[in-house]
Amino acid sequence: MVQIDRLRELAIENDAYSRQEKQLRNSMQNKLEYRKLKDADKKIKLETSLKWGIFSVVEIVFMILISKGLSYVLTLTMNKGMTQDEFIAAGGFGYRMIQVPMLIGAVPALPIAFFALFLVKKILRNRVKKENERNLRQNKINSTENASIKAKNQGIMEHNHQISNQLEILKKKKQELEIRLKEENPLYPLEYLTVPIVDFVEQELQSGRAETINQALVHYEANSGGN
């Protein structure tokens, strides 16, 4: 049983190292993410196709409205201010219909189309300006936070470096422990050097269910399902 007692001493030491390693790894910290800075110098972007598309739609709509409006007004003027139904009801004959060509309506529609395009650009420019101002304010806040995050990350790096050094010391201690185990009991696996397993081995030997430590370990593997 002297051999078992010695194994238990090594197992207690190994378990202590394992607990320390787990605690140290759990204490490792992740670096904080920096706040992203947004573009605060955006320019108005109006594609040529969209620009001329807006211009064309406004031009066509007002060209039609102006041409039809002029046709209606001129027709009423030529017929004493009466519609066709009113003219016929008054006993008149030969109601004159005036049709103004669309191209005539296109001329006064041009400044309206240009003005509409100007308004669209101005609206977009104001929107971009407000977005830039909003992003600029947020960037100032983010820059202040990033300065704080940088200081915190520096502390985290130093903390993790200390943890890494302690883990390296533990690694060397476990290597030394493995060397001692091989010197004293070369057939005993390091992965089974835990107090619960050593206690199981001792019970197997005391009860007579196993005659050797290796046989007791075989029983342990069978009971644990090979894990």
Side-chain angles (χ1 to χ4, degrees):
M1 287 302 169
V2 174
Q3 192 177 15
I4 291 295
D5 291 339
R6 180 56 183 157
L7 280 173
R8 181 178 286 103
E9 291 177 3
L10 295 176
I12 292 172
E13 186 178 348
N14 189 44
D15 286 350
Y17 291 155
S18 297
R19 285 193 300 271
Q20 291 177 36
E21 182 180 14
K22 183 178 180 180
Q23 291 172 356
L24 288 172
R25 292 192 182 281
N26 288 338
S27 67
M28 294 283 281
Q29 299 176 3
N30 294 324
K31 292 175 65 176
L32 302 175
E33 292 186 6
Y34 288 98
R35 304 288 187 266
K36 293 182 179 180
L37 300 181
K38 297 182 178 181
D39 183 8
D41 192 29
K42 291 183 178 179
K43 306 296 182 182
I44 179 174
K45 292 182 180 179
L46 189 60
E47 298 292 339
T48 302
S49 58
L50 177 60
K51 178 173 64 177
W52 287 112
I54 294 172
F55 178 87
S56 299
V57 169
V58 175
E59 170 70 12
I60 292 171
V61 169
F62 278 89
M63 177 183 68
I64 294 172
L65 290 176
I66 292 172
S67 297
K68 288 188 175 294
L70 285 174
S71 298
Y72 181 75
V73 171
L74 291 175
T75 297
L76 288 178
T77 303
M78 294 298 295
N79 295 282
K80 300 178 181 180
M82 291 186 290
T83 64
Q84 188 173 12
D85 292 338
E86 292 172 342
F87 188 81
I88 294 173
F93 295 96
Y95 191 81
R96 298 180 66 182
M97 300 289 293
I98 306 299
Q99 294 292 336
V100 176
M102 288 294 178
L103 289 177
I104 293 177
V107 176
L110 278 174
I112 298 176
F114 279 114
F115 181 69
L117 185 59
F118 169 77
L119 286 179
V120 171
K121 288 183 177 180
K122 185 175 182 180
I123 292 171
L124 292 177
R125 192 178 295 111
N126 288 337
R127 182 180 298 176
V128 170
K129 181 181 178 182
K130 290 181 180 179
E131 184 178 356
N132 284 339
E133 290 174 350
R134 183 169 58 252
N135 288 345
L136 186 61
R137 290 193 298 269
Q138 187 61 48
N139 285 346
K140 290 181 179 178
I141 296 173
N142 289 349
S143 296
T144 302
E145 291 183 358
N146 284 342
S148 176
I149 290 172
K150 182 178 181 179
K152 291 179 180 178
N153 281 342
Q154 184 63 33
I156 290 173
M157 290 175 61
E158 293 174 359
H159 169 80
N160 288 345
H161 181 67
Q162 292 176 0
I163 297 299
S164 297
N165 290 339
Q166 295 179 49
L167 285 171
E168 189 64 28
I169 293 173
L170 270 179
K171 180 180 178 181
K172 291 179 180 179
K173 288 182 177 180
K174 293 189 76 170
Q175 290 174 345
E176 293 172 357
L177 177 64
E178 184 176 7
I179 292 173
R180 280 183 281 150
L181 176 64
K182 288 181 179 180
E183 290 175 350
E184 298 177 18
N185 199 325
L187 297 180
Y188 196 94
L190 178 64
E191 60 269 22
Y192 285 164
L193 190 62
T194 66
V195 173
I197 296 178
V198 172
D199 288 343
F200 177 88
V201 170
E202 183 178 16
Q203 292 175 4
E204 290 292 298
L205 294 173
Q206 288 178 347
S207 64
R209 289 190 293 270
E211 295 181 358
T212 64
I213 292 177
N214 288 341
Q215 188 177 3
L217 290 176
V218 171
H219 294 171
Y220 175 80
E221 289 181 348
N223 291 338
S224 62
N227 296 327

